[in-house]
Amino acid sequence: MEGVAEVVSESRVAAEPLLKARGLGKHFGPVQALYDVDVDLYAGQVTALCGDNGAGKSVLTKCIAGIYQIDQGQFFWEDHPVHVRSPRDAARLGIETVYQDLALADNLDIVQNMFLGRERLNNGFLNEDDMERSAARTLSSLRVTTVRSIRQPVASLSGGQRQSVAVAKAVMWNSKLVMLDEPTAALGVVQTRMVLDLARRLRDRGLAVMVISHNLNDVFEVADRIAVLYLGRLVVQDRASAFDRQSVVDYMTTGASSRTVQRSDADGGKPGQG
Amino acid sequence: MEASLARAEAPESAPDPTAATEAATLEVPPELVAQSLGEWFRAWTTRIRSGDSGVLPVILGLILITIVFQAISPHHVFLSADNLVNLFQQSAVFMVLAMAEIFALLLGEIDLSIGYAAGVGGAIAVQLVQPTTTRWPWWGAIIAALLGCALIGAIQGSLITRLRLSSLIVTLAGLLILNGVMLFVLGLGPFSGYPSLAGANPNLQFLYQLMWGTIDPTVSWVGMAVIVTALACFLWLGDNRRRQSGLVAPPVSLTLLKIVLIAVVAIVVVAICNINRAAFGTLEGVPWVIPIVLVVFGVWTVLLQRTRFGRYVYAIGGNPEAARRAGVDLAAIRTWCFVFCSLTAGVGGLLYASYLGGMSNNVNGGQLVLYAVAAAVIAGTSLFGGRGKVLHGLLGGLVIGGIYNGMYLLGLDVKPQFIVTGLVLLVAITIDALSRRGATSGSAARV
Ligand SMILES: Nc1ncnc2c1ncn2[C@@H]1O[C@H](COP(=O)(O)OP(=O)(O)O)[C@@H](O)[C@H]1O
Ligand SMILES: [Mg+2]
């Protein structure tokens, strides 16, 4: 738990992806939400996952998080094949998710939400003091300082504060991969900045971060890598420097782009194939 | 409240973080941020004015009931020791049933069957101890009754959680079925539907004494002193430890105030009970039913406030999807809640049987469950889940018991009593629904 406080200083950028997904497929009844998706997420990098509404971004996130089970495909975690069948499996690997539909209980306070499902016990009873101290430490290490009391119910927080709590909850657990699904969609300017700064701070600690957004300002502000989903297919993923706004828009809206920015395949990025 | 409504109108226009923080302060429970009693009191009044009043309305309601019935009851007997003890005894059944219902309400579900679950529990126990038929010992009868009730909860809970049936419908069916089961159990043996607890047999006596037995006045005082001291130490040491390690804690004066309040209530209750309330001879001491109710209250409070199980109950009531993603086994927690609900109803049934001095075909479980729901909701437990405390069962039960008792003193029959209690329930759920509407319009804007 305290791992989050130490900055991982050795080579931030690993050569091999932390998580490799190969050939993922997912359908809901007749609706095929994902087709043969290959995606790589690297430690120490922010990967932006872009795509139009309904492209399958949230479904992909939930498959990685174990909320949905994939129909086809395989995950590799640090190069080992793994199964992710439940949120518990994902948590065991070190995968944490901040969902688009925030998964906080309004009636519980900040500490209770941050420890939900992983309460610390003392002789079988909740160890509130210990949990409160750890929560306070995590929040201050992320410089989330605007909340008045960490014992206030989440219902009384502003949108940005709630998002910060959700992010802090995700990084409490020695997590290695944090996925943020449209974290800034409902936020104002100041609060958006707050959340993007948080994402960068996680990356600087050596975590793999995936940020979903269709706001290109946000994407180009934080992303080291960009991946684009189009109608359930992953059409391109590469270093952010290989894209410009227009090419990302092209991929998002048509699944292809005729523009070529300077290419770099050095990190195994998969050039457009749609 | 006002602040959150303002935000609801302009969801996107809150880029100023200080405005958001200010708005949030209104809704923060005052004990979290206040450094002194004065500050705490000011924060508290702000919170009440903003619509979130905690247990204040129910306390005011109790005071109002007391004043009104004291004024209009014949010979002003409402506040006599005799009547107050009687009031505690009448309220005990409502309190226990309300504490049972809270398990369902916290989930955002409802259990309409607890009145007749209580009836079945009472009937089983009273039948089993009959010296002319089954001759069970009192403890065997009590265990059988409680196990029977727990089984009822397990069946209903499983249907609701595993088959995803509506709790309203399942327990409505349960209400009817259990009414039949109760009549069936009561029909066994030679008692023509009215097995009684009258008689010198020790097993009959034990059940009868649950409600009517009293504790020796001296023992009452000593026991009270021990319990209050233990509670005071627990509160004081806990708050002190948190204050010293810099955790969120109430100011010293507030901790002291709480302790004094508990002590005063305890002393007043014991003092009232220790007054001789018999017209001839002596009848004094705390009735057994008071510690029995307090044990139920204590055990369930610890379970809901201090254990993982309790935390999950609140989480499911607040946001089941969040609980699911946190890895909580929703079906198991929900099923256990229905088990605890029916089990507690069984305790209520034992007390009711003791109160009636037996069990009867006329027990109206439909009315009992509505009183239980009314008691819980009046005291601040929400029908929408996630908000409520076991304490609400105690306070709400006292309100319902007060109305019941006061109208009885006035010589009124059940007609106005039904109407008044129904109206009280209606007012309580209206307030609950309105306050929730205010809260969700605020949070919708926040997401
Ligand atoms: N639980 C579900 N049941 C059925 N269809 C779903 C479900 N979740 C997502 N979908 C469908 O999958 C597609 C992708 O959705 P989603 O991943 O939420 O899109 P977005 O990229 O906007 O996050 C949409 O067509 C959506 O309707
Ligand atoms: Mg989405």
Side-chain angles (χ1 to χ4, degrees):
Chain A
M1 254 114 274
E2 265 63 73
V4 287
E6 304 152 16
V7 174
V8 180
S9 51
E10 343 95 57
S11 70
R12 250 184 38 195
V13 184
E16 273 300 306
L18 175 68
L19 178 84
K20 275 195 296 197
R22 289 293 174 265
L24 300 191
K26 176 72 195 169
H27 67 88
F28 297 97
V31 181
Q32 189 77 28
L34 298 177
Y35 300 87
D36 193 24
V37 168
D38 295 353
V39 70
D40 297 325
L41 300 174
Y42 290 85
Q45 302 216 359
V46 176
T47 304
L49 181 63
C50 305
D52 212 346
N53 275 332
K57 306 180 297 293
S58 297
V59 172
L60 176 57
T61 312
K62 287 178 180 172
C63 286
I64 298 175
I67 299 273
Y68 297 148
Q69 299 191 16
I70 50 175
D71 304 323
Q72 286 111 37
Q74 177 70 51
F75 290 113
F76 297 90
W77 183 258
E78 294 171 331
D79 247 358
H80 301 291
V82 289
H83 297 284
V84 184
R85 296 202 181 89
S86 71
R88 291 244 182 236
D89 286 349
R92 219 169 290 127
L93 291 171
I95 301 173
E96 291 293 333
T97 314
V98 177
Y99 298 97
Q100 182 172 12
D101 39 347
L102 278 178
L104 298 176
D106 267 357
N107 58 333
L108 298 185
D109 68 33
I110 296 177
V111 180
Q112 293 170 339
N113 264 293
M114 287 176 68
F115 277 88
L116 187 58
R118 300 185 245 209
E119 291 78 8
R120 287 195 201 150
L121 300 181
N122 186 5
N123 300 323
F125 294 103
L126 295 171
N127 190 341
E128 297 286 354
D129 296 9
D130 195 27
M131 290 193 275
E132 187 173 324
R133 267 190 290 268
S134 295
R137 218 175 302 129
T138 304
L139 285 170
S140 72
S141 81
L142 293 173
R143 283 178 255 152
V144 178
T145 48
T146 58
V147 295
R148 233 171 109 82
S149 162
I150 63 173
R151 283 300 184 179
Q152 73 191 80
V154 163
S156 66
L157 299 178
S158 73
Q161 290 172 325
R162 291 160 72 89
Q163 201 60 259
S164 306
V165 169
V167 174
K169 177 184 180 183
V171 302
M172 288 261 306
W173 309 102
N174 266 333
S175 35
K176 295 180 172 165
L177 165 61
V178 173
M179 299 186 289
L180 307 167
D181 192 351
E182 309 225 8
T184 60
L187 302 185
V189 179
V190 175
Q191 299 179 335
T192 297
R193 164 85 0 93
M194 195 159 106
V195 171
L196 294 182
D197 281 348
L198 261 179
R200 264 192 294 261
R201 244 171 267 145
L202 301 185
R203 170 194 63 195
D204 293 344
R205 286 177 180 179
L207 274 69
V209 180
M210 183 170 93
V211 176
I212 293 178
S213 180
H214 42 215
N215 179 336
L216 293 185
N217 288 330
D218 294 0
V219 169
F220 280 98
E221 197 181 326
V222 295
D224 301 305
R225 296 174 56 81
I226 292 176
V228 182
L229 270 177
Y230 174 70
L231 298 178
R233 296 175 200 278
L234 196 98
V235 290
V236 64
Q237 60 174 329
D238 206 337
R239 294 187 159 168
S241 56
F243 297 88
D244 62 14
R245 272 158 201 275
Q246 192 51 50
S247 63
V248 174
V249 171
D250 289 348
Y251 281 118
M252 282 169 61
T253 52
T254 66
S257 171
S258 54
R259 295 171 66 91
T260 42
V261 187
Q262 75 283 22
R263 288 234 48 86
S264 80
D265 284 318
D267 60 355
K270 203 163 125 188
Q273 39 177 225
Chain B
M1 206 91 298
E2 224 150 71
S4 58
L5 288 177
R7 238 176 301 150
E9 285 152 19
E12 292 296 334
S13 68
D16 175 12
T18 53
T21 325
E22 255 166 46
T25 20
L26 281 181
E27 301 167 45
V28 177
E31 59 272 27
L32 299 185
V33 286
Q35 300 302 315
S36 71
L37 197 58
E39 212 176 291
W40 183 86
F41 190 73
R42 273 193 300 280
W44 186 67
T45 44
T46 315
R47 183 158 70 120
I48 287 176
R49 268 186 271 124
S50 75
D52 177 10
S53 43
V55 292
L56 186 72
V58 70
I59 303 271
L60 292 178
L62 275 176
I63 293 173
L64 185 74
I65 287 171
T66 309
I67 292 173
V68 169
F69 284 124
Q70 176 64 8
I72 65 175
S73 59
H75 310 295
H76 307 292
V77 292
F78 189 80
L79 281 180
S80 68
D82 183 18
N83 188 55
L84 284 177
V85 174
N86 193 7
L87 172 61
F88 294 148
Q89 289 169 322
Q90 285 166 337
S91 304
V93 175
F94 302 134
M95 288 176 176
V96 173
L97 290 181
M99 290 192 274
E101 192 64 54
I102 283 170
F103 276 101
L105 295 182
L106 279 178
L107 295 174
E109 311 273 354
I110 197 160
D111 187 339
L112 294 177
S113 72
I114 58 168
Y116 282 114
V120 170
I124 292 175
V126 174
Q127 285 282 25
L128 285 177
V129 292
Q130 291 303 323
T132 53
T133 53
T134 34
R135 294 197 302 272
W136 279 43
W138 57 266
W139 51 268
I142 289 178
I143 291 174
L146 294 183
L147 281 182
C149 288
L151 181 68
I152 291 168
I155 294 171
Q156 294 190 135
S158 302
L159 288 173
I160 292 162
T161 57
R162 310 280 167 189
L163 298 185
R164 294 162 195 268
L165 303 178
S166 141
S167 60
L168 185 85
I169 302 301
V170 169
T171 60
L172 190 58
L175 180 150
L176 196 59
I177 294 169
L178 294 175
N179 190 358
V181 172
M182 182 189 82
L183 293 177
F184 176 77
V185 173
L186 288 176
L188 300 171
F191 314 106
S192 42
Y194 295 88
S196 153
L197 290 174
N201 176 288
N203 294 316
L204 291 177
Q205 273 302 308
F206 187 92
L207 290 191
Y208 183 76
Q209 299 296 340
L210 288 178
M211 183 63 80
W212 301 107
T214 56
I215 303 168
D216 176 77
T218 321
V219 177
S220 300
W221 280 119
V222 174
M224 191 269 315
V226 170
I227 292 170
V228 169
T229 312
L231 261 182
C233 288
F234 182 76
L235 268 178
W236 176 258
L237 293 176
D239 282 357
N240 222 23
R241 192 189 58 233
R242 292 178 61 82
R243 264 191 296 274
Q244 267 158 18
S245 44
L247 300 172
V248 175
V252 184
S253 41
L254 186 66
T255 309
L256 284 175
L257 189 71
K258 271 192 219 165
I259 292 173
V260 169
L261 212 67
I262 291 173
V264 167
V265 170
I267 289 171
V268 168
V269 169
V270 173
I272 290 171
C273 294
N274 280 349
I275 295 172
N276 183 4
R277 48 187 185 272
F280 308 100
T282 46
L283 174 58
E284 56 186 12
V286 175
W288 268 110
V289 65
I290 291 183
I292 292 173
V293 170
L294 288 181
V295 166
V296 174
F297 166 71
V299 170
W300 287 156
T301 297
V302 169
L303 180 74
L304 285 175
Q305 303 301 327
R306 308 253 162 195
T307 69
R308 211 174 236 171
F309 172 84
R311 182 61 39 86
Y312 293 168
V313 172
Y314 281 94
I316 293 172
N319 184 348
E321 185 55 25
R324 197 172 75 84
R325 290 181 193 169
V328 174
D329 184 347
L330 301 196
I333 303 278
R334 282 188 171 133
T335 309
W336 275 110
C337 278
F338 282 98
V339 171
F340 290 142
C341 178
S342 297
L343 176 69
T344 314
V347 176
L350 293 173
L351 295 181
Y352 197 45
S354 178
Y355 183 77
L356 297 175
M359 215 43 195
S360 113
N361 277 340
N362 302 330
V363 165
N364 188 342
Q367 184 192 340
L368 283 176
V369 69
L370 288 190
Y371 283 179
V373 174
V377 176
I378 286 165
T381 293
S382 173
L383 287 170
F384 301 102
R387 190 157 54 83
K389 286 183 173 163
V390 185
L391 176 66
H392 295 161
L394 285 194
L395 296 174
L398 217 47
V399 169
I400 299 293
I403 294 174
Y404 183 90
N405 174 284
M407 299 199 127
Y408 177 81
L409 291 181
L410 294 177
L412 298 170
D413 62 2
V414 294
K415 280 173 268 163
Q417 185 196 319
F418 283 179
I419 294 173
V420 170
T421 314
L423 286 176
V424 171
L425 173 61
L426 211 52
V427 170
I429 63 174
T430 308
I431 292 171
D432 180 31
L434 290 180
S435 75
R436 177 186 154 86
R437 219 165 288 161
T440 43
S441 66
S443 62
R446 284 184 210 112
V447 173

